[in-house]
Amino acid sequence: MGGQYHYTMETQTCYCVPLEDGMDIYPASQWIRAVQHNAAVALNMPENSINVSVKRCGGGYGAKSMNSALLSTACAVAAYNLRVPVRMVVKLETNMEAFGKRIPLYGKYEVAQAVAYTLGIDISMIKIKASMALTSPNSGKTGASMASDGITRVDLLEDVGQSISPTVDIGQVEGAYVMGLGYWLNEKLIYDQNTGALLTNRTWCLLFVMPWSLEEKMQDQQKTGSR
């Protein structure tokens, strides 16, 4: 599985206010502990001097977990040295180059073993069949239609049980679909072979409608100095 971008509604951002005996930090983070610990280490302060407050943060899918501590720590150091409140908001290109993606991974998953274990039967009784419209009609884009202009409608159905926050649940479901859509549209991370810089640092392109490959386009842009 290749790398994948995180398309959150906001990029990485943080607001820090220096105090007489510590720091108030207001990050967009899914991991308060990481923000507090890293700021304490960077500022050489006890952790109980770092006050981290997050009113709400949803739909990050990991983008606002450990990655958010990179920006919040830099923001805290700036506020500490300047002795003034500091707010940092990362632009999209920088966010995608430095923060906004999952790294590629490789894994194996044995479907037959999982089914046999769940059903409590011998693995020899499990048969893996090819996908068919009769048995698995939703193997493609469920409730979606694909045309030359892209997806025009999507109907999503999710059983969330007894919802504590319907608005958050809707955001999670919609965000999960969009990230999956990114993989369906051949999302790919491309790096400069000489510098290692990420070249695909904006919204994705649909490779199947491009008259030339994305790699060739990036190489051409490098030669001309344009983006």
Side-chain angles (χ1 to χ4, degrees), residues 25-210:
I25 301 180
Y26 303 91
S29 177
Q30 296 171 280
W31 194 357
I32 293 177
R33 173 72 173 84
V35 172
Q36 183 185 47
H37 174 75
N38 284 277
V41 172
L43 301 179
N44 194 26
M45 291 182 179
E47 291 190 16
N48 61 7
S49 294
I50 306 297
N51 309 311
V52 182
S53 177
V54 179
K55 187 173 184 180
R56 62 179 61 89
C57 183
Y61 297 95
K64 299 295 181 71
S65 57
M66 191 61 200
N67 290 345
S68 65
L70 299 173
L71 185 74
S72 63
T73 302
C75 188
V77 169
Y80 178 82
N81 288 326
L82 297 175
R83 304 309 302 171
V84 296
V86 172
R87 182 188 301 275
M88 289 187 176
V89 180
V90 179
K91 67 178 183 178
L92 177 64
E93 292 86 351
T94 302
N95 193 82
M96 294 177 67
E97 290 169 357
F99 306 103
K101 54 186 173 294
R102 291 189 175 104
I103 60 175
L105 60 91
Y106 175 78
K108 291 184 177 180
Y109 184 76
E110 298 293 335
V111 177
Q113 291 181 4
V115 173
Y117 176 81
T118 301
L119 298 179
I121 59 179
D122 189 83
I123 192 172
S124 62
M125 299 177 64
I126 304 299
K127 302 295 182 182
I128 308 299
K129 301 291 187 179
S131 296
M132 298 177 62
L134 179 64
T135 58
S136 53
N138 294 330
S139 60
K141 304 175 288 299
T142 302
S145 60
M146 177 65 75
S148 59
D149 292 331
I151 294 176
T152 59
R153 172 175 172 171
V154 175
D155 298 317
L156 300 176
L157 179 63
E158 176 78 13
D159 183 0
V160 299
Q162 185 174 354
S163 178
I164 298 177
S165 177
T167 302
V168 171
D169 289 337
I170 291 173
Q172 293 286 322
V173 172
E174 291 177 344
Y177 175 81
V178 170
M179 293 201 73
L181 185 64
Y183 264 139
W184 180 259
L185 298 179
N186 298 319
E187 188 172 292
K188 186 175 182 180
L189 306 180
I190 299 177
Y191 297 87
D192 187 296
Q193 295 183 356
N194 297 319
T195 66
L198 181 66
L199 299 177
T200 50
N201 63 351
R202 300 189 181 187
T203 53
W204 60 63
C205 297
L206 306 186
L207 302 186
F208 57 83
V209 300
M210 295 180 66

